[in-house]
């Protein structure tokens, strides 16, 4: 979706390293969602952010939404091979859920 | 709790043929979505249902794609006639009124279509 830009498109990191994925919208978001997809499978919900400045964590994954509610970052601490996959940001733009193009993460053992 | 069921998982057809995909959402989920995901891209919304009514079908190519959810439960997505550019994974997702506010949609494993 051109409404949501994700960067980088792909990322290769060594196991144990930290990494950050970004998601940017030209519009103010009602809600920003992070999903993970493994090849050949459906999407798995990670977390949702609604309030400007909000931050949520789950295990080693932390997501933040900026004050203007137009940019979000997903940070993984001490990456593991299990973190590998495609990370997608999704946005509630009023009526439905739209997605960015995704960031493909590879974690090298 | 059973997840979102989709079938078939894989389908190969020739261009100009027709194909149909089926989705059975999680029991009790009022909202159902069909997404098209082309290799290397994010999912693109095709149609959203709330019970058996259409909420948004603005991105559905209506000259060849159709979808229905007659009894507000399972849904069928049809393509007729198929074009080469329809090769993609078709994802079905469902959510309840509660999950609409949490953002958690539940996705099936998808139906992979190859058009030759």
């Amino acid at each position: 979706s051109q409404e949501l830009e994700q960067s980088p498109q792909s990322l290769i990191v060594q196991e144990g390293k930290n990494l950050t994925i970004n998601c940017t919208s030209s519009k103010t978001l009602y809600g920003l969602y992070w999903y993970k997809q493994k090849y050949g499978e459906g999407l798995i919900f990670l977390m949702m952010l609604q309030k400007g400045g909000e931050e949520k964590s789950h295990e080693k994954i932390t997501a933040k939404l900026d004050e203007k509610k137009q940019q979000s970052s997903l940070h993984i601490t001490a990456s593991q091979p299990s973190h590998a996959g495609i990370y997608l940001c999704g946005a509630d733009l009023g009526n439905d859920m739209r997605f960015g193009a995704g960031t493909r993460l590879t974690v090298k053992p | 709790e059973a997840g979102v069921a989709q079938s078939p998982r894989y389908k190969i057809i020739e261009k100009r043929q027709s194909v149909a995909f089926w989705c059975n959402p999680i029991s009790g989920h009022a909202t159902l979505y069909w997404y098209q995901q082309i290799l290397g891209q994010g999912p693109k919304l095709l149609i959203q249902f709330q019970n058996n009514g259409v909420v948004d079908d603005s991105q559905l190519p209506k000259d060849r794609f159709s979808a229905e959810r007659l009894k507000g439960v399972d849904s069928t997505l049809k393509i007729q006639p198929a074009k080469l550019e329809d090769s993609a994974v078709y994802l079905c997702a469902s959510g309840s009124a509660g999950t609409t506010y949490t953002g958690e949609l539940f996705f099936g494993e998808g139906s992979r279509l190859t058009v030759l």
Side-chain angles (χ1 to χ4, degrees):
Chain A
S1 165
Q2 293 180 342
E3 294 157 318
L4 291 172
E5 296 287 338
Q6 282 190 242
S7 64
Q9 287 185 326
S10 64
L11 195 53
I12 302 173
V13 300
Q14 201 68 38
E15 183 177 357
K17 296 294 185 182
N18 303 335
L19 63 107
T20 300
I21 298 168
N22 295 300
C23 176
T24 303
S25 171
S26 57
K27 303 176 183 178
T28 299
L29 304 169
Y30 293 102
L32 189 287
Y33 313 92
W34 285 99
Y35 282 79
K36 180 184 176 184
Q37 184 178 32
K38 291 201 168 183
Y39 182 78
E41 299 179 12
L43 282 66
I44 304 295
F45 175 78
L46 294 176
M47 57 190 85
M48 167 188 158
L49 304 164
Q50 275 190 308
K51 301 175 184 176
E54 187 175 7
E55 179 177 322
K56 286 187 178 178
S57 293
H58 177 67
E59 297 180 346
K60 294 185 177 179
I61 300 176
T62 300
K64 301 178 184 179
L65 182 62
D66 74 337
E67 291 290 343
K68 290 185 177 180
K69 296 171 63 175
Q70 287 186 284
Q71 187 168 9
S72 178
S73 61
L74 184 84
H75 184 79
I76 298 178
T77 304
S79 59
Q80 300 169 357
S82 61
H83 288 129
I86 300 171
Y87 289 82
L88 294 142
C89 65
D92 178 354
L93 297 175
N95 282 326
D96 51 54
M97 183 85 77
R98 305 291 175 107
F99 289 91
T103 295
R104 182 179 295 274
L105 173 63
T106 302
V107 180
K108 288 189 171 181
Chain B
E1 179 181 77
V4 176
Q6 288 190 247
S7 66
R9 284 296 311 276
Y10 306 94
K11 188 75 176 178
I12 300 174
I13 61 172
E14 296 190 349
K15 59 183 180 184
R16 290 187 289 273
Q17 286 186 323
S18 63
V19 63
F21 302 112
W22 175 81
C23 172
N24 192 20
I26 292 174
S27 177
H29 280 191
T31 306
L32 186 148
Y33 301 78
W34 282 102
Y35 287 89
Q36 179 193 58
Q37 187 174 25
I38 293 172
L39 186 64
Q41 299 181 19
K44 171 190 166 186
L45 179 68
L46 293 176
I47 190 167
Q48 177 189 349
F49 292 96
Q50 181 79 17
N51 295 310
N52 60 348
V54 176
V55 174
D56 183 358
D57 63 356
S58 58
Q59 297 193 96
L60 186 74
K62 298 180 185 64
D63 57 333
R64 297 183 301 105
F65 286 65
S66 65
E68 59 183 14
R69 192 184 184 199
L70 292 174
K71 295 182 179 179
V73 182
D74 57 347
S75 175
T76 304
L77 176 71
K78 295 180 181 177
I79 307 174
Q80 182 178 12
K83 292 186 176 181
L84 296 176
E85 58 261 36
D86 298 331
S87 294
V89 175
Y90 291 86
L91 294 165
C92 178
S94 71
S96 68
T99 60
T100 299
Y101 295 102
T102 66
E104 184 171 6
L105 296 184
F106 295 82
F107 283 81
E109 293 185 317
S111 294
R112 183 178 297 275
L113 174 65
T114 301
V115 182
L116 303 175

